Amino acid sequence: MRVSPSDILSRRQQIAAVALAAVVVGAFVAPQVYGQTSQTDSKVAVVEITGAIDSSSSQYVEDELREARHNDSVEAVVLDIDSPGGSPGSSERMLTAVERTAAEMPVIASVDTLGASGGYYAMLPADEIYVTPSAQVGSVGVIGPAPMPSGPNAGTTAPDKGSFHPDDARATTETIQEVFLENVMEYRGDELEKDREEVAHARMYVGVESVENGFADEVGMTDDAIYEAADRAGLSSVEVVSGLTVDEDEQPEPIPFIEADGETVAVASEEADLSPHQPLAVTPEFWHERFGDLDFEDDDPEVPTNTTDADTGGEKP
Amino acid sequence: MTTAKTLLGTFVVAFALTVGAITVGAVVLDDDTTTTDVDHDHIDSSLIAEQAEDGGEIEMESSEPSNTIVIHTGAQPMSQTGMQFLDPANDQPTDYRTSVGSIGGQDRDVDPLESVLIENGHEVVYWQDRQDGDLSEVLDDADAFLTTGSGDLSSEEGEAIAEFAEAGGQTVIAADPGRSDDIGQLMSSQGLYTDAGYVYDLDENDNNYLSVYAEPTDDSALTDGVDRAVFRSVASVGSSTESTVMETDAQARHSTTREQGSYDVAAVDDNVALIGDSSFMTPENAHRVDNNVLVGNVADFLVTGTKPTGELGDDDPASGGEFGDEPASGGEFDDEEFDFSEESP
């Protein structure tokens, strides 16, 4: 005689049993559903660090890397760098974002042309630095105004409000340099074949040489860096994503054009916000190109322009 | 049939609720906004640049009666604003003062020295160029001569200074890097010279690689009481009689060779002192470490000794017997090889 569940269990018990079975099955199925809804294929995010580094560009890189960390599809990051450096503080902001990201996933830096001074500073915590054979990296130094006393001005409330003492100017620049240098030795000290004093000479090294002396790790292109990042992340295939924080609907700003000597030339839409009156972690070439032709006498009214008379300058008001 | 439909409906509802609840819960819980801590412990107060000690009086020990000291500080630099980016300590600087932290005219650069000389009863006469008269005539009445701008001197003026020194006149040459090319010829009779380029120290310095420390190598009037002086940009000097009196730390390097070692930066040969820098006398630097003692010693050095006599040039029949007169012909200086007359930058 065949006995059906309806003969053994009451109606309520039958419903409860079915509901329990549904929960058990659902619990097994839910992860797959979650995976399908929340996960896309694993990717390597390429974050570009291009041009001079200021607060705007460091904000962008920080946002990109934060998105990379929080986006479950991103398993590794490649920093695609072409920068002569910029503001020390903004470079440090990038460095911190890179370090935070490198603590969670592989980060590989790639330099095909220039990754110097603040540009080199920003990539220090990367797991590896890839350089093309002729790329230039290094320039671990700071450029600031020469430490000269400037004239007094009764429009300010204190001597250091409108001018500075050369001893203080030297100390400020030196402290920024020491922090830069300390970070280089902290993050790259084990790889560097050069001691602190040699690094402090602030020389730029060509890619092939930088791999030998430890300023970089591998000779390779950005694609090599992407494959290395994917490999470190355990990805069997490589899918690349960039511009994580860029709105797809957002159109890039058109490049303005100006007339120069009868020819129309394109100019950068916006120059990095850097001041020549502050110490900068930039290459000498960039400094001269950007600020070399400035007329500082006109730029700073607190500096006496007629200095042929000893009584007009320095601390002799 | 009704029972089967009920059970199926129960299964579907329970299944949907379970999957939905777990999925939504996972999505909510997986909103990863946590941040990873970043350790910056290696950045600490040890990285803050230390300021060298500042202060101390500039004093003279000499009780010499009033001497007349002629001071030459060279041509006015092109610019003295505080925001120039130049590396002045090269061979041909546009404005050497950008390295030494001074502004406000040449005379201001030696103001501390001037003050202590006047305080002790001595007369200071500034001579800058021919507009201030013929240098040889000015030196006729002088007891001592100091220049911080030897590169701006003409050949005739160089001859006058060399004769003054050879006659026993107290002479101090403060030769900044890039402005000392002619020192070797100017002071060759005393066996003193400077090297092209500059000395720097990336390891032990006063907050800049150009600001090197120097210590006495031997007892001398110039270095008496000086433990350590700081020069804001300094040329290395040499002496044929091994009369150098100050040298840098052993980890200093020379710009031309990058070789590490101690470099001589001051020398004294009897009545002539050669120092590879003039910045230590500027108001902002004259009280740094023992620079105040060094400035006082320079003042003492200038007023020590005897005044050159008018017998100078007597062996030259064309000379009128007055010190500093032009030699009849040739003399020690060959203008073709030693041209002081070039305009300075």
Side-chain angles (χ1 to χ4, degrees):
Chain A
M1 178 178 151
R2 187 175 175 212
V3 179
S4 69
S6 59
D7 298 330
I8 301 172
L9 302 174
S10 66
R11 182 180 173 83
R12 284 188 176 178
Q13 287 173 325
Q14 289 176 25
I15 292 174
V18 169
L20 180 62
V23 169
V24 171
V25 174
F28 277 106
V29 172
Q32 280 71 40
V33 174
Y34 166 69
Q36 289 297 319
T37 56
S38 66
Q39 280 278 24
T40 57
D41 294 336
S42 297
K43 297 184 175 92
V44 175
V46 176
V47 177
E48 292 186 358
I49 301 177
T50 306
I53 295 172
D54 63 358
S55 58
S56 175
S57 56
S58 64
Q59 171 78 63
Y60 168 75
V61 170
E62 192 177 60
D63 290 346
E64 286 279 296
L65 293 176
R66 184 188 300 113
E67 178 60 25
R69 292 194 301 274
H70 295 166
N71 187 326
D72 294 319
S73 68
V74 175
E75 299 288 343
V77 169
V78 167
L79 305 171
D80 186 0
I81 297 170
D82 182 10
S83 172
S87 157
S90 297
S91 302
E92 288 160 359
R93 186 175 176 181
M94 285 188 184
L95 173 146
T96 303
V98 171
E99 183 174 17
R100 206 181 299 282
T101 307
E104 297 185 15
M105 63 184 71
V107 176
I108 308 296
S110 171
V111 182
D112 66 355
T113 303
L114 183 65
S117 202
Y120 185 67
Y121 202 170
M123 73 175 99
L124 286 173
D127 295 302
E128 283 201 319
I129 296 174
Y130 274 56
V131 289
T132 59
S134 298
Q136 292 197 76
V137 296
S139 191
V140 181
V142 177
I143 297 176
M148 296 181 66
S150 48
N153 188 325
T156 64
T157 58
D160 293 337
K161 195 68 179 174
S163 59
F164 54 83
H165 194 284
D167 291 339
D168 297 335
R170 284 191 195 89
T172 298
T173 302
E174 184 68 8
T175 298
I176 293 172
Q177 164 66 359
E178 282 299 312
V179 172
F180 188 0
L181 199 53
E182 181 66 21
N183 272 318
V184 171
M185 301 312 293
E186 172 73 14
Y187 292 105
R188 301 290 308 179
D190 292 341
E191 288 80 18
L192 285 169
E193 297 293 329
K194 296 190 172 297
D195 63 27
R196 191 182 181 95
E197 195 247 1
E198 289 175 300
V199 174
H201 271 78
R203 191 183 150 193
M204 270 197 291
Y205 296 97
V206 174
V208 64
E209 187 180 3
S210 69
V211 172
E212 290 299 310
N213 64 30
F215 271 77
D217 298 296
E218 297 283 347
V219 170
M221 312 300 152
T222 302
D223 272 355
D224 298 314
I226 291 171
Y227 285 118
E228 173 65 18
D231 186 52
R232 283 175 173 250
L235 305 181
S236 56
S237 61
V238 177
E239 187 175 350
V240 176
V241 61
S242 61
L244 294 171
T245 60
V246 176
D247 188 342
E248 291 180 358
D249 297 330
E250 189 176 299
Q251 295 299 316
E253 290 289 326
I255 299 176
F257 291 85
I258 61 171
E259 291 284 339
D261 298 330
E263 297 181 3
T264 302
V265 296
V267 297
S269 58
E270 187 178 353
E271 281 193 327
D273 185 15
L274 300 174
S275 167
H277 302 299
Q278 297 291 329
L280 297 175
V282 297
T283 61
E285 293 79 8
F286 175 84
W287 204 102
H288 282 294
E289 188 178 329
R290 179 75 180 273
F291 303 118
D293 295 330
L294 292 184
D295 184 345
F296 291 103
E297 291 187 5
D298 294 340
D299 194 42
D300 188 349
E302 292 167 7
V303 177
T305 54
N306 177 16
T307 55
T308 54
D309 181 350
D311 289 338
T312 63
E315 296 176 348
K316 288 183 173 180
Chain B
M1 190 63 188
T2 303
T3 301
K5 283 184 178 177
T6 302
L7 292 177
L8 180 61
T10 301
F11 183 88
V12 170
V13 170
F15 179 82
L17 287 174
T18 302
V19 172
I22 292 176
T23 302
V24 170
V27 169
V28 170
L29 292 175
D30 198 40
D31 183 17
D32 184 10
T33 55
T34 58
T35 57
T36 304
D37 285 338
V38 174
D39 177 13
H40 287 160
D41 288 348
H42 61 286
I43 304 299
D44 57 33
S45 59
S46 67
L47 301 174
I48 300 172
E50 294 182 10
Q51 295 270 16
E53 57 215 79
D54 230 338
E57 297 294 321
I58 299 174
E59 298 173 337
M60 291 180 68
E61 292 186 1
S62 170
S63 56
E64 283 277 319
S66 179
N67 277 219
T68 299
I69 296 97
V70 176
I71 294 179
H72 167 251
T73 55
Q76 177 72 27
M78 292 174 63
S79 170
Q80 292 187 322
T81 62
M83 296 299 175
Q84 294 294 309
F85 173 72
L86 296 168
D87 176 5
N90 54 34
D91 288 340
Q92 294 297 329
T94 304
D95 179 0
Y96 79 101
R97 282 179 174 79
T98 53
S99 74
V100 300
S102 185
I103 189 171
Q106 311 99 301
D107 299 354
R108 186 178 185 274
D109 289 351
V110 291
D111 183 79
L113 177 69
E114 175 203 87
S115 298
V116 74
L117 286 169
I118 294 173
E119 181 184 10
N120 285 271
H122 302 287
E123 182 184 1
V124 174
V125 175
Y126 281 98
W127 182 91
Q128 296 301 3
D129 52 35
R130 291 171 185 170
Q131 293 181 350
D132 295 332
D134 185 77
L135 179 59
S136 60
E137 293 179 5
V138 174
L139 289 177
D140 276 340
D141 299 324
D143 298 281
F145 174 77
L146 176 142
T147 179
T148 60
S150 58
D152 299 328
L153 297 167
S154 69
S155 58
E156 291 78 12
E157 291 155 0
E159 291 173 19
I161 294 166
E163 284 191 47
F164 179 79
E166 288 172 24
Q170 295 298 115
T171 305
V172 174
I173 311 288
D176 294 299
R179 290 168 60 87
S180 59
D181 293 352
D182 300 324
I183 292 298
Q185 291 161 323
L186 182 65
M187 292 287 107
S188 61
S189 58
Q190 276 73 35
L192 302 176
Y193 60 91
T194 61
D195 298 313
Y198 59 91
V199 180
Y200 68 94
D201 192 335
L202 279 160
D203 191 29
E204 182 71 20
N205 59 52
D206 189 15
N207 291 333
N208 188 269
Y209 72 111
L210 292 171
S211 294
V212 302
Y213 291 113
E215 298 177 357
T217 55
D218 204 352
D219 293 336
S220 73
L222 196 66
T223 58
D224 184 30
V226 176
D227 289 328
R228 191 170 67 156
V230 63
F231 299 119
R232 295 304 183 194
S233 69
V234 67
S236 58
V237 308
S239 164
S240 62
T241 58
E242 298 184 352
S243 58
T244 54
V245 296
M246 295 190 82
E247 66 178 9
T248 66
D249 293 330
Q251 63 270 27
R253 294 180 186 272
H254 199 276
S255 64
T256 56
T257 63
R258 302 290 176 98
E259 283 190 15
Q260 202 163 35
S262 295
Y263 289 91
D264 295 320
V265 293
V268 176
D269 186 80
D270 293 331
N271 59 309
V272 177
L274 173 62
I275 306 169
D277 169 72
S278 68
S279 72
F280 71 94
M281 290 186 284
T282 65
E284 282 74 20
N285 299 323
H287 299 273
R288 202 77 168 169
V289 287
D290 293 332
N291 284 9
N292 59 311
V293 182
L294 184 57
V295 173
N297 289 349
V298 169
D300 281 325
F301 184 86
L302 287 168
V303 301
T304 304
T306 57
K307 183 174 183 173
T309 66
E311 297 173 358
L312 290 165
D314 274 357
D315 56 344
D316 186 340
S319 169
E322 279 289 314
F323 161 72
D325 281 354
E326 293 277 336
S329 62
E332 294 181 41
F333 297 91
D334 183 344
D335 285 0
E336 291 185 2
E337 297 178 358
F338 178 35
D339 185 7
F340 278 113
S341 62
E342 284 188 8
E343 290 297 321
S344 64

